Structure formats: C-alpha cells, structure tokens
Amino acid sequence: MAEDEKRDKTELQVMKELVDELYNFRDCYFETHSMEEAGRKKSDVAQEMEKTLKKLEEKEDSFQDTAEFLLQKGRCLNVAPDFSAVAEVCLSRAVKLEPGLVDGWNTLGEQYWKKGDLIGAKNCFTGALQHGKNKVSLRNLSMVLRQLPAADGDAHSKQVMESVDMARQAVQLDITDGTSWYILGNAYMSLFFTCGQNRQLSQQALSAYAQSEKVDRAASCYPELHFNRSTLFQYEEMFGSALNGYSRAAALDPGWEGPPEREKQLLEYLKKVTELIQNKGKVKARRLRTMLSNLSTSALGPCLSPQFRSPAGRVGSLEPRTLTSLKHGSNSGVAAMGKVVFSLAMEGRMAFTFGMVDSEEVCIVVMVYNIADSWGVLIGDTVVIPEPLLKRQSITHKDESFDFRSIRVDSPLLLIVNGKKQNPQSQIVTSVSCSRQSE
C-alpha cells in the first residue's frame, strides 16, 4: 500500500512539472523564440496545451477523483486566455475534495474572472488567502478590486487604495517576482488617475514597471506592461517613450489591435500639431493682425489683482510675458497671453489642445488636461495662462521627427479665457484604466 501511495505521489508530481513547463513555455516564449515569431505565440501555446492535456488524460482513469490531478488538469486548461467550462468543473471538484488547496482556489478564481464573474473571482481569491497568505491571491485581488463596480467615486477610490495595498503585500512576499511588480505599477497608475494625479504616484508606477523588467526578463515581454506604461507616458507628455512602448507592445502581440492603433493616433496627432503650429492654424495674416490688435493687458482680468493666487500658491499680480521670453519649466510671477488660432482634441479625450499666438505673432501649442466634454476654446478667444509650464518636445520615432514648444495646463480652471475664470463644471478628472483583464 505504501508503495502504491509513493508511486501515485511521484506520478502526480510529474504531472505538476508538466503543467509548470507549459506555463514556462508561455511566459518565457521569447527566450526561445524570435520577435518575428510573435504572431505564432498564441497557436504555439495552444498546441503545447493540447500535448500536455493529452499526457494528463492518459492518467485520468487512475486519478480522476484526486484533487491534485483535477488541479493540474484545470491549470493546464487555464493557460489559455479564454474561459473553459471543463477547467471550471475540474477546479470546483478539486477544492471540494481538498478545501485547503490554495492553487485550486486561485486558478478557479481566474476561470470565474475569464467568465466575467468578478464577485465569484474575488470570493475565490479571498478564500485562498484564508488558507494561506500568497502572492498570487493578493495580486489577483488587486486587479479584481480595480474592476469591480462601485456605488460612487468615494467607494471606487477606496477600492483602488485597497488594491494598491494588496499589490504591495504581494511584492513584499517575493521581491523577485516581475508579475507582482508589474501589477503594483498598474495599481499605482490607477491610484494616480483616481486620487488627484499626484506626481509622486505616477513616478511610483513607472518605478514599479522598471523594477518588474529588472527582476524578471519575462516581464519585459508582457505587451500589456508596455501598453499601460505608454498610456502613462502619453499623459505625462513623454511622447517618444509612449510611441516606443506602443510599438513594442504591437511587436509582442501582433494580433492585439490596441497598441498599433494608439501609436498611429499619437503620430497623427503630433503631425497635426506640428503642421498647425507652423502655419498658425491656417489663419490668414490679415485676420491674425485684426485678432491681435485688441490683445491688451486688460485681458489678464483677475491676474491683475494684488490678491491673485497663482496655481503654485503665490499671491500677487502677474506680469504679462511674450512666449519667446518664457524659460523652460515653471515661470513664476508671470503670465502668457495670446489669441486662439486652432483647437484639436486628442484621441480618447486625454487632452484638449489649442494653438495660441501672442503679440509677437509667435505660435505655441497648449495642452489642457482634466476637461469636461463641454469645455473648449474658440478661434479668436483670448487666453491667459498664469505661471505657464513650458516644455520642449523633441521626438524621433521610426524616421519621423517632431520638434516644438508646448505649455501644459493640468486643469481648465487654471486658465483665464476672455478675461474670466472658468466654471468649476469645466473640469472633470481624466480616467484611464489598465488594459485587458490580465493586465
């Protein structure tokens, strides 16, 4: 009897190793395949899954009522990106036979998630943690919490903060796990967009993504990592890095339409902006002179008051400055002023873009974030930007180059348009979510 038990354990261990090898084949695909073979990854993984499944099923008659066998069969089917009813049945039976089977609860939770049952998934991951603290349950909970519907904005913020805590705990359990670092990056990114866009949070997200790649070579081949990070790069106006990331994500997963579409949209946006700056929005010279003739310091409106409080908290009136006299970075104590000559909405409404010409007929592009759909400026409007944040955009990507100066404005409430402050309803916090269920 003891010999039979020993043989069974050995056979079950071999099955586990077979399934582990399958996951390793999927996760480390590019360690044994070139980027040119990226389009074959999905079919190659499916083929390996079928081979592994066949080997497991050869032993099914002997082990079909064994929790460990059911777990490995469920894990094998779970390697595929889509829901498997057979996997759900196997894993449900496995945890009934052995309620303390943490891997069983985690894999069953992933199947519920693929089916769209987020509450069922959350219950599985929470249940697994009751049997033992582990990184897989924690990071899966982190992802599910950010996707669960919330009653209101406050409840959603609370869920996102809880998701960051779960991801942090997963990293603490194993600081060498690139997947945990990557999910922590996504959690920080969600927190950044949910809770006031504190620059420290975006830096923490970028640091976590970098750490993910540093500790785990396989993580650098996650297309979702490059895509999500590029979304943050684009928001931070690191356009060259965003384009490179979208391009990398597209190369890693040629079947995913999102990355090449984003890359194309961003390139078209940069081309359009460059062209509009060069021709000053195609406004005819005579009309431009007429527009600029009534540009006076009275347009500064509230900025003329000694009690004016600038975005940085400085109190005192602001001095108007020409665009050429502004320095790169923040310009304290001064205001840029000009006439709108064009406007442009970035795809996905990430920013509202407009071109502004000052009294010297110099044109600059202004990117305004966190705008309500109803907000915008019209050609001919006078816009004052208190303490403008000036940037130099110098981008080269796939033989295309862009070079222009821009002003970033984090909220329309910071602008003075036609001598007036903007209505509080003109601002709405930008919401950006991480891509794909698997992140």
Side-chain angles (χ1 to χ4, degrees), residues 48-274:
E48 286 297 313
M49 184 189 84
E50 289 301 327
K51 282 186 203 169
T52 306
L53 189 61
K54 196 172 178 182
K55 288 177 184 174
L56 294 178
E57 288 175 341
E58 286 169 4
K59 305 285 184 180
E60 190 143 19
D61 290 344
S62 306
F63 295 100
Q64 60 186 342
D65 295 321
T66 309
E68 182 65 25
F69 172 81
L70 291 164
L71 166 63
Q72 298 313 326
K73 185 175 178 182
R75 281 185 68 220
C76 176
L77 292 163
N78 187 58
V79 84
D82 302 318
F83 168 72
S84 162
V86 177
E88 182 186 6
V89 170
C90 289
L91 295 161
S92 298
R93 285 182 61 206
V95 294
K96 277 179 187 169
L97 287 167
E98 199 175 316
L101 200 61
V102 170
D103 283 351
W105 285 112
N106 281 334
T107 316
L108 180 60
E110 287 172 20
Q111 280 297 313
Y112 280 138
W113 192 354
K114 289 172 183 179
K115 191 166 72 167
D117 181 359
L118 293 176
I119 299 296
K122 180 176 182 277
N123 291 339
C124 285
F125 301 139
T126 306
L129 285 170
Q130 289 170 358
H131 295 289
K133 194 172 180 182
N134 66 94
K135 63 186 179 183
V136 176
S137 300
L138 287 164
R139 67 194 186 204
N140 281 346
L141 260 180
S142 174
M143 289 188 277
V144 168
L145 282 167
R146 294 198 298 279
Q147 294 186 14
L148 280 171
D152 53 38
D154 287 344
H156 178 62
S157 296
K158 190 177 176 185
Q159 282 176 203
V160 173
M161 285 190 272
E162 194 180 342
S163 92
V164 172
D165 183 52
M166 294 289 174
R168 276 196 196 120
Q169 288 184 51
V171 165
Q172 285 163 3
L173 286 177
D174 183 359
I175 60 169
T176 66
D177 190 303
T179 303
S180 297
W181 278 108
Y182 159 59
I183 288 163
L184 179 59
N186 286 348
Y188 275 131
M189 178 174 156
S190 295
L191 189 61
F192 170 75
F193 284 111
T194 304
C195 300
Q197 294 172 14
N198 181 323
R199 283 286 178 275
Q200 188 181 348
L201 293 173
S202 67
Q203 290 309 306
Q204 284 175 304
L206 292 175
S207 293
Y209 289 139
Q211 192 65 14
S212 172
E213 291 184 291
K214 183 180 175 183
V215 300
D216 185 354
R217 280 189 303 172
S220 66
C221 294
Y222 294 166
E224 297 88 353
L225 184 152
H226 296 283
F227 184 85
N228 291 340
R229 180 166 56 187
S230 288
T231 302
L232 190 53
F233 280 147
Q234 185 168 337
Y235 186 84
E236 294 281 25
E237 295 182 7
M238 299 166 70
F239 297 124
S241 297
L243 287 166
N244 289 336
Y246 291 141
S247 181
R248 174 80 173 154
L252 288 164
D253 188 351
W256 183 13
E257 294 174 0
E261 184 61 26
R262 282 277 191 91
E263 183 184 4
K264 182 185 167 194
Q265 286 172 354
L266 183 50
L267 278 171
E268 286 175 355
Y269 169 80
L270 293 169
K271 284 178 196 170
K272 191 75 176 165
V273 164
T274 306

